[in-house]
Amino acid sequence: MSVGLPSDEVAEDYKNSLEDLTINSRYEISNLTVIAKENTEHAMAISRVLENHIKSTPPDRKLPALYVLDSVVKNVGTPYTLFLGRNLYTIFMNAYSLVNNQVRRKLDEMLKTWKEPVPGSLDPRPVFPAETIRPIENALIKARTAAVQAQQQQQSRAQQEMINRGRPMATPNPQWRSTPTPPQARGPYYPPPQQTYGLQNVPNGNYQARPQYPQTTNYPPPQPTPTNHQQPFSQPQAYPPYQQPPNHSDPIHQDVEKLINAARAEFSSNVNDDSLRIRLQALLALQGALKSQTLTPQEFQAARNEVARLFAEVYGASGPAASAPPRTLVPSPYVPPPQIPPQQRPAQIPTPQKPDIQSLLSSRNLADIIAKAQQAPATPPISQATYPPAQPASQNSTTSSLSANLGDMLASLKAKGILSGASTTPLNGSHGYSPPPSTTKTPPIMSGGFPRPALINDIEVTSISLKRPRIHLVSNLYEARPNQCSTCGRRFLATAEGKEKKARHLDWHFRTNQRLADSAKRGQNRSWYVDELEWIQSRDNPEDAPLADASSDAARAALAASLAAADPKKKHIPVPSDPVLANQPCPICQEKFDMVWNDEVQDFVWMDAMKIGSRVYHASCHSEVKKEGGTTPLRMSTPDSVLGKRKAVGDYNAGNAKAIKA
Amino acid sequence: MQKSFDLKVLVKRVKDLRLASPQAQAPETSEKNRAAKTVKVTLPGHADTSKMSLPGLDLSAPVETVVSPTVYELKEQTEWRFEVTFGNTVEVRLLSGTAELFGTELPIQQTYTFTGTKAAIYTWHGCRIEVVGDCQVDYIAEETPMMIYANLHFALENLRDTAYSEGRDGPRVLIVGPENAGKTTLVKIITAYATKVGRQPVVVNLDTKEGLLSIPGTLSATTFTSVMDVEKGWGSSPTNGPSQVPVKLPLVYYMGLSNPEEKALIYKPVVTRLALSVMNRLQDDGEAKETGVIIDTPGIISQGKGGYEMIQHIVSEFSVSAVVVLGSERLYSDMLRRFNGQTTGAGEIIAVVKVDKSGGCVDRDEAYLQQFRQSQIREYFFGDANTTLSPHTQQIDFNQLTIYKLAEPIDDLLKSLMPGDVTEESTSAIFDKVRPSAQMQNVILTIVNAHPEDTQENIRDASVMGFIYIADVDEKKNKLKVLAPVGGRLPNKAIIWGSWPEGISDLM
């Protein structure tokens, strides 16, 4: 967000920008939307400015201003919908009363889209809630009725009007029908809606009196929004010419090449996606390693399998996916090559990287890489272009591309006493400062994590004892835990256990980042607090929990299935990705499913749901219908079962409360 | 005009790019270079407006902008204290060395953004930090009580080890001290240190002036296993989506008053109830049992007779084994007199210790505190700059809500008119059941885990489910417009209307 800008200043700037908006300019509207999006913390100020601007601007500029509003509420959503929704009636009616008929038609169309969900969004809620829109519609209908009546009295051509009614009027700009806002230069694109506007919201009586607004037309499907993803800033071109034909005959090279091209294509259309970037980086690193021919046959085989699996994933081949080796999430124990004393080997650096190649594409190492990448949040992959990956002799290239792994390797070498403490590579934490001489000159602290006898903690809980400085103890907080996460600063022991914990921790960061990218699309909200029993029984270890391999979808599904089998109340399925299915209620009780985040399977799920055939049912509804002897779950059950379900939930809570009181 | 705004966006983007440049990674880069560096950027619209471009990504025609962050060099065991007003932001980044904000370590090269904050970044080993933005106040302090605070942590570690070997509960630590003495800060520091060495403390907040993972007016308990949020102080309670910093799960109770002494009738039983839950958790959760409890208190109860009774109550309910007095000699001697030599229920001797107040403690004026409270409420519904939450508005009928208003304390005049033997407890009900009215506009209501028709005591002692905001009251149509954190129907539970935190007029 813009640094040091208080709300007032942002608002003032926004106001000035709005005043420059005199024509219906796609570019400016999208720019204003982007600014609004980047300044959501000043949403209230911006909304106020926008509102005032719409009110005060001359009639011929009202339409562009309203388009800004429309674009902001659709592309940014909350909190703008809340702030702007408050006075929407006044804003809209004020503008409507001052503009000419042509503009009014456009406003009508815009109003209609506000009653629908944002097209292409996962959120099924309308842009503005019905209670915000309804008063406006009612007022418009009233006004039209009055206008038409006046017309009929004054004009003798009433008959003519009656004939014309119902015939579609030519509109100047049909492709804007359902997307009043001009297409955006960026941001979430909502594909133009395909719906036809029906009459359901217009009372019949009033409709009769609306000759000017033919509602029966089936609007032609709007043309696809001209998107413009192709930024002048195109990432892949920045790479050195990788595409030189691979000099090995093994198909793996071609496969990797193809994968890289596919990843690049995907990446260039979605520059902001971190996971794509990391995948691309990993692939490039793998390619470098393959070309440098530093792999042992086993590693080569492992890499080949991994590539085959990925290839199948990307190109949709069905066979190899099943036969591909399972991803290794447990860090493969690294045995340092004993045959060569490392101190005598200048070329030691590339060696430690080798065992990790086989799992280079697995999520654990991706997590390592992402952790590294996060130190440079906005670095585009171009930064890699500075080293030629095809040269096996170039130590720098391998070091930097795999330095996250390397750091781990060095740490483990150190722990095993193979490398002397005077390593050239700075380790996490010991970076850039020399630790106080009293405690840290001695390597044993690094290696063991056990405090030496000199570090005995003799502090008692007395005021005098607390006053005596014991700076050496502070190393318990820092040097004793040299293994630091570069994202959040959390420290881990240098032991094998500490390493494993860190790996899981980085995994957690990785998953979280993935989910953060996903979650931008769905609305997030605060959950209710837990009750006493739930809190007492809760254990919070979201990162260290050995989620064996929650990253693979198959394992996740299996986990979900096993959980579901345990307790029908806890039956849940991942939220269907098919939007049609996602919007369908339970066929038995006709209620929608509640989407909740499930920590165990690390995904959004529908609780109390099960999928049978192509439809999703509430598990409790389904089991009840079955119990009642109905063989087919499609049979509508009596409302009793619905009440029964609610009651069960209530009882459960009441039970909790009692348990705690007892 | 358009340009001037774009320029700011650009400056930000350019800064991002710059921060990410390879040079910025190398700590060796000299400050002079850094500060004097000019960056060439383009204004969109300068060249060709019809070309679709993101501001800042089109780097062709040059315009010069100077970006000058400040770099501070901190010697070992010093701290950089800073204040940022609401509405301003300051970005801080650790370039080298180690640094921690109230015990939580900052990793190298991560940028943290602060707003409405009064805090300090301390270094044990010396460090260099880079600051972008305007601080209201900022200076480097060489004298800090951090050594004592760290010693307190190590002393507690000793107690934890001993308790573990003897199979007892870990220490229950009560922090008391006057207002603005840094109690919450000390709680943060020792919590962060305990978390850092792999412990899992239960942190209890009994101060209704500010919320812990909740809004003001609440009492709460939370276990901490993961790092705290450097920017937000504690972190965030769960949402239905992911969070950069692991969410913490609080158990929340509602008080509805700023001063607990005003209504001991409510405060005491709620404290008792909270203590019961915490003790249950300790028995259930091995790691929490080992680590023990850290309790934060309101400053007001450290100021005299009535307050001491509250402290006594807390000590006995939580079976406190160590009382830490922060920055007041008189309070220390009073606490010594009261607790020295006493034993807890389990036979441990209660330790009373005194630690120094930090010179960095600043008096927070009422205006700041009010903004702080409002920001906590806003954050509850709308999230923060990193996570935008979408609360839901809905219209509901008056009769869909069962609202209990906290009964007004009986004032002295009224009391003098009553017969002598009537005490507060025998006369006043806890709540009055009320119908929604125009007075309810803009207030925060609390939904508790109790049936609408439950007894008043049960409603008082019930834990909190969440909060709703009354955006509008339509007395003609008997309708309320309600902002709730979660969509769907409001749960059919009792709802409490307290006088604290005060209403907030511009929430939406």
Side-chain angles (χ1 to χ4, degrees):
Chain A
M1 309 291 116
S2 11
V3 177
L5 284 185
S7 269
D8 293 349
E9 211 174 311
V10 172
E12 185 62 30
D13 278 326
Y14 206 80
K15 188 166 162 240
N16 292 334
S17 308
L18 275 173
E19 276 161 9
D20 290 344
L21 181 71
T22 52
I23 49 154
N24 186 0
S25 152
R26 206 185 278 182
Y27 171 76
E28 287 185 31
I29 290 173
S30 69
N31 200 17
L32 284 163
T33 311
V34 170
I35 293 169
K37 186 175 190 159
E38 293 189 344
N39 289 286
T40 43
E41 74 264 39
H42 305 304
M44 199 190 300
I46 290 178
S47 306
R48 202 179 47 231
V49 166
L50 183 56
E51 190 182 321
N52 289 340
H53 175 76
I54 296 173
K55 275 184 191 156
S56 57
T57 198
D60 58 323
R61 295 184 187 177
K62 284 205 194 288
L63 185 66
L66 276 158
Y67 276 161
V68 172
L69 182 148
D70 178 72
S71 170
V72 167
V73 295
K74 281 179 183 159
N75 289 303
V76 189
T78 48
Y80 286 100
T81 41
L82 286 167
F83 295 132
L84 291 167
R86 241 178 129 66
N87 291 327
L88 193 66
Y89 179 84
T90 348
I91 301 173
F92 192 91
M93 291 315 290
N94 179 330
Y96 199 89
S97 59
L98 293 174
V99 295
N100 61 29
N101 275 346
Q102 203 179 4
V103 176
R104 280 184 190 179
R105 266 200 296 278
K106 293 199 172 137
L107 292 183
D108 285 329
E109 285 151 16
M110 184 154 72
L111 184 65
K112 254 176 274 156
T113 65
W114 288 347
K115 294 187 296 191
E116 328 258 336
V118 180
S121 147
L122 287 172
D123 193 342
R125 284 177 294 163
V127 178
F128 283 110
E131 63 257 28
T132 311
I133 301 298
R134 207 172 299 121
I136 302 179
E137 283 185 328
N138 291 342
L140 288 180
I141 289 166
K142 250 184 221 159
R144 282 173 198 145
T145 317
V148 167
Q149 279 166 354
Q151 219 172 18
Q152 281 174 339
Q153 284 164 6
Q154 284 171 7
Q155 298 184 349
S156 55
R157 294 178 305 166
Q159 203 70 26
Q160 184 69 28
E161 287 284 338
M162 295 302 280
I163 294 163
N164 282 347
R165 188 205 313 149
R167 193 194 300 160
M169 305 264 294
T171 41
N173 200 1
Q175 69 266 42
W176 297 125
R177 286 241 159 239
S178 33
T179 51
T181 311
Q184 301 301 308
R186 63 158 286 185
Y189 290 91
Y190 45 92
Q194 304 290 324
Q195 77 272 20
T196 56
Y197 291 116
L199 293 168
Q200 65 273 27
N201 286 321
V202 186
N204 280 336
N206 287 330
Y207 170 66
Q208 292 299 328
R210 298 174 63 194
Q212 261 189 305
Y213 301 91
Q215 299 285 314
T216 42
T217 320
N218 286 356
Y219 296 131
Q223 291 161 5
T225 316
T227 56
N228 198 341
H229 277 308
Q230 293 309 321
Q231 307 293 349
F233 183 69
S234 127
Q235 308 276 4
Q237 287 157 13
Y239 284 93
Y242 270 131
Q243 278 86 351
Q244 45 183 282
N247 25 5
H248 306 284
S249 52
D250 194 289
I252 187 172
H253 291 284
Q254 281 127 45
D255 287 356
V256 172
E257 196 80 11
K258 278 184 196 159
L259 279 173
I260 289 176
N261 287 339
R264 266 189 201 156
E266 214 178 333
F267 182 62
S268 61
S269 68
N270 201 348
V271 192
N272 294 325
D273 192 336
D274 268 353
S275 60
L276 287 177
R277 195 183 74 221
I278 283 144
R279 182 185 203 140
L280 186 56
Q281 279 172 342
L283 282 167
L284 288 171
L286 176 67
Q287 194 186 39
L290 283 172
K291 284 191 180 162
S292 66
Q293 292 175 298
T294 50
L295 301 180
T296 66
Q298 294 95 335
E299 287 157 5
F300 188 74
Q301 189 54 43
R304 193 201 309 229
N305 289 343
E306 190 63 28
V307 168
R309 198 187 57 75
L310 269 177
F311 200 76
E313 234 174 64
V314 173
Y315 290 96
S318 52
S323 64
R327 286 200 216 176
T328 47
L329 276 163
V330 184
S332 50
Y334 169 62
V335 184
Q339 65 275 29
I340 315 165
Q343 288 88 344
Q344 297 169 9
R345 249 182 350 145
Q348 55 170 311
I349 309 269
T351 325
Q353 123 213 2
K354 286 163 87 189
D356 277 338
I357 292 293
Q358 58 176 319
S359 52
L360 190 62
L361 298 166
S362 79
S363 69
R364 195 177 92 71
N365 290 294
L366 289 183
D368 277 352
I369 294 169
I370 202 176
K372 176 75 184 164
Q374 269 163 356
Q375 289 190 1
T379 316
I382 306 177
S383 61
Q384 291 206 338
T386 48
Y387 54 85
Q391 291 175 13
S394 155
Q395 286 178 25
N396 282 340
S397 67
T398 28
T399 322
S400 52
S401 72
L402 293 170
S403 64
N405 291 331
L406 202 54
D408 281 357
M409 300 316 297
L410 283 176
S412 83
L413 286 177
K414 242 181 201 182
K416 293 186 167 104
I418 292 171
L419 269 184
S420 70
S423 160
T424 47
T425 318
L427 276 176
N428 297 334
S430 60
H431 195 63
Y433 77 95
S434 49
S438 58
T439 53
T440 50
K441 260 185 184 159
T442 41
I445 299 173
M446 284 307 244
S447 62
F450 302 110
R452 294 182 307 141
L455 300 184
I456 280 176
N457 170 1
D458 59 344
I459 305 183
E460 292 164 7
V461 191
T462 60
S463 303
I464 300 151
S465 184
L466 289 181
K467 283 242 157 144
R468 199 145 54 84
R470 291 174 186 77
I471 186 72
H472 59 275
L473 284 176
V474 174
S475 67
N476 279 332
L477 297 173
Y478 283 87
E479 289 85 352
R481 297 168 172 266
N483 208 348
Q484 192 187 15
C485 167
S486 60
T487 308
C488 69
R490 196 176 163 156
R491 283 178 178 273
F492 299 88
L493 293 173
T495 58
E497 194 197 350
K499 272 185 158 345
E500 205 186 311
K501 273 195 177 167
K502 188 184 177 193
R504 283 204 297 263
H505 174 81
L506 291 179
D507 243 8
W508 178 86
H509 273 303
F510 180 69
R511 287 198 308 269
T512 305
N513 282 337
Q514 269 184 329
R515 280 157 43 199
L516 280 171
D518 289 349
S519 74
K521 291 174 212 144
R522 356 186 184 210
Q524 258 192 70
N525 57 257
R526 172 108 29 221
S527 310
W528 297 118
Y529 295 132
V530 295
D531 66 14
E532 288 160 327
L533 192 64
E534 215 175 313
W535 183 77
I536 289 167
Q537 290 174 348
S538 69
R539 297 290 173 271
D540 45 7
N541 41 357
E543 0 175 327
D544 296 349
L547 275 164
D549 31 9
S551 53
S552 89
D553 285 337
R556 203 183 291 178
L559 189 57
S562 69
L563 285 170
D567 178 4
K569 268 260 164 284
K570 287 192 178 157
K571 261 186 193 161
H572 54 74
I573 59 166
V575 175
S577 45
D578 176 12
V580 179
L581 195 57
N583 277 324
Q584 267 176 356
C586 168
I588 297 175
C589 66
Q590 298 298 330
E591 279 185 40
K592 292 225 167 191
F593 294 91
D594 292 333
M595 183 169 77
V596 293
W597 174 257
N598 187 312
D599 253 344
E600 282 166 296
V601 290
Q602 296 287 314
D603 202 353
F604 284 93
V605 298
W606 283 350
M607 290 308 286
D608 188 23
M610 58 196 290
K611 194 170 177 183
I612 297 166
S614 61
R615 304 229 42 188
V616 180
Y617 298 86
H618 278 123
S620 48
C621 294
H622 187 262
S623 69
E624 251 164 82
V625 173
K626 276 211 140 166
K627 239 183 271 165
E628 283 162 14
T631 44
T632 157
L634 284 171
R635 203 187 59 130
M636 291 293 286
S637 74
T638 54
D640 283 351
S641 72
V642 178
L643 290 174
K645 180 167 65 96
R646 288 246 173 77
K647 199 161 160 243
V649 174
D651 280 348
Y652 179 69
N653 287 339
N656 283 351
K658 266 173 213 143
I660 186 80
K661 267 176 241 155
Chain B
M1 293 326 251
Q2 171 86 36
K3 274 179 210 160
S4 82
F5 191 84
D6 277 343
L7 195 62
K8 274 166 189 146
V9 177
L10 272 175
V11 170
K12 183 199 160 261
R13 303 227 175 205
V14 167
K15 193 171 52 69
D16 287 348
L17 286 175
R18 205 186 57 76
L19 295 185
S21 76
Q23 282 142 310
Q25 296 280 333
E28 293 80 28
T29 317
S30 86
E31 273 82 78
K32 275 184 195 164
N33 282 347
R34 192 181 276 278
K37 201 189 296 173
T38 57
V39 186
K40 300 189 170 184
V41 292
T42 316
L43 279 180
H46 227 224
D48 182 9
T49 12
S50 68
K51 196 165 54 178
M52 290 288 185
S53 72
L54 284 182
L57 283 181
D58 184 357
L59 302 169
S60 48
V63 169
E64 305 226 322
T65 321
V66 181
V67 186
S68 58
T70 323
V71 174
Y72 293 100
E73 193 95 36
L74 299 188
K75 286 203 223 76
E76 54 191 70
Q77 297 185 51
T78 58
E79 71 184 11
W80 177 67
R81 295 175 182 156
F82 65 104
E83 295 179 21
V84 186
T85 53
F86 282 95
N88 256 325
T89 56
V90 167
E91 289 184 356
V92 180
R93 196 160 64 103
L94 174 66
L95 299 176
S96 64
T98 66
E100 53 184 49
L101 187 134
F102 296 155
T104 304
E105 195 176 345
L106 310 180
I108 286 181
Q109 297 295 358
Q110 284 286 343
T111 304
Y112 289 96
T113 310
F114 297 96
T115 179
T117 311
K118 301 183 187 219
I121 292 178
Y122 181 81
T123 175
W124 286 104
H125 304 101
C127 71
R128 286 186 3 197
I129 50 172
E130 182 193 80
V131 181
V132 184
D134 286 330
C135 299
Q136 192 186 22
V137 177
D138 74 300
Y139 62 98
I140 294 174
E142 298 193 340
E143 259 180 52
T144 70
M146 279 302 285
M147 195 67 240
I148 300 176
Y149 295 173
N151 280 343
L152 178 61
H153 161 75
F154 293 115
L156 293 175
E157 280 295 293
N158 275 344
L159 291 180
R160 284 164 191 156
D161 288 340
T162 328
Y164 181 65
S165 61
E166 292 170 10
R168 285 186 282 112
D169 288 0
R172 283 82 57 209
V173 188
L174 178 72
I175 315 280
V176 291
E179 303 272 6
N180 293 320
K183 291 181 297 300
T184 305
T185 302
L186 177 59
V187 170
K188 262 184 209 164
I189 292 170
I190 58 177
T191 303
Y193 284 168
T195 314
K196 198 164 178 173
V197 297
R199 302 281 189 183
Q200 197 193 96
V202 180
V203 179
V204 174
N205 174 38
L206 300 181
D207 185 358
T208 51
K209 289 238 157 143
E210 51 188 277
L212 189 159
L213 302 171
S214 184
I215 67 168
T218 57
L219 310 182
S220 62
T222 316
T223 55
F224 279 85
T225 30
S226 43
V227 293
M228 284 184 236
D229 194 318
V230 171
E231 293 169 355
K232 277 188 276 176
W234 292 104
S236 159
S237 70
T239 66
N240 66 349
S243 158
Q244 275 289 1
V245 177
V247 293
K248 323 285 190 263
L249 192 68
L251 176 64
V252 183
Y253 294 85
Y254 184 61
M255 247 298 282
L257 290 169
S258 61
N259 178 1
E261 284 184 53
E262 231 175 88
K263 239 178 191 293
L265 188 61
I266 294 181
Y267 192 69
K268 279 191 179 176
V270 174
V271 167
T272 305
R273 181 65 174 234
L274 177 56
L276 187 68
S277 297
V278 169
M279 292 304 145
N280 268 315
R281 173 74 184 254
L282 290 192
Q283 298 325 310
D284 220 48
D285 183 345
E287 281 180 76
K289 177 185 165 84
E290 212 177 293
T291 313
V293 184
I294 301 166
I295 306 163
D296 193 8
T297 59
I300 197 146
I301 65 171
S302 297
Q303 281 166 1
K305 271 275 170 270
Y308 289 174
E309 245 169 68
M310 297 276 187
I311 295 179
Q312 180 88 54
H313 180 74
I314 295 166
V315 167
S316 67
E317 291 300 324
F318 282 90
S319 175
V320 166
S321 62
V323 179
V324 177
V325 182
L326 193 59
S328 165
E329 285 294 336
R330 186 180 148 207
L331 182 63
Y332 175 60
S333 83
D334 286 348
M335 289 297 112
L336 265 184
R337 208 174 300 147
R338 226 166 232 267
F339 298 113
N340 205 19
Q342 301 241 355
T343 53
T344 64
E348 302 152 280
I349 293 171
I350 299 177
V352 182
V353 292
K354 174 189 70 176
V355 296
D356 293 348
K357 171 182 170 175
S358 165
C361 292
V362 282
D363 286 354
R364 296 171 297 178
D365 55 33
E366 187 44 42
Y368 173 84
L369 284 171
Q370 190 181 351
Q371 276 182 316
F372 181 74
R373 287 194 294 270
Q374 301 209 341
S375 80
Q376 282 199 324
I377 295 170
R378 208 175 292 273
E379 196 185 306
Y380 175 79
F381 288 105
F382 292 97
D384 56 20
N386 295 331
T387 327
T388 306
L389 303 182
S390 321
H392 296 240
T393 48
Q394 53 185 300
Q395 298 266 6
I396 45 177
D397 287 336
F398 278 7
N399 56 20
Q400 275 177 281
L401 298 184
T402 316
I403 299 171
Y404 292 89
K405 186 171 199 281
L406 220 52
E408 298 292 330
I410 301 173
D411 58 34
D412 291 339
L413 178 71
L414 208 64
K415 233 180 237 172
S416 66
L417 296 175
M418 291 189 178
D421 57 341
V422 179
T423 62
E424 189 193 356
E425 291 191 30
S426 60
T427 50
S428 61
I430 307 167
F431 301 112
D432 301 324
K433 205 164 167 181
V434 292
R435 208 173 164 278
S437 62
Q439 285 178 323
M440 256 171 57
Q441 176 107 25
N442 294 340
V443 301
I444 304 283
L445 301 183
T446 307
I447 306 181
V448 295
N449 281 310
H451 190 268
E453 303 305 328
D454 216 330
T455 63
Q456 296 216 338
E457 283 77 15
N458 284 348
I459 291 170
R460 172 193 67 193
D461 294 349
S463 66
V464 173
M465 230 181 130
F467 305 94
I468 54 175
Y469 171 75
I470 305 297
D472 212 3
V473 183
D474 189 338
E475 285 191 311
K476 276 186 210 134
K477 291 184 189 156
N478 286 352
K479 292 260 189 205
L480 290 168
K481 192 172 172 197
V482 169
L483 184 73
V486 183
R489 281 170 61 145
L490 286 180
N492 184 27
K493 304 275 183 189
I495 292 174
I496 304 180
W497 174 11
S499 59
W500 185 263
E502 69 272 67
I504 162 169
S505 56
D506 56 350
L507 189 62
M508 51 177 279

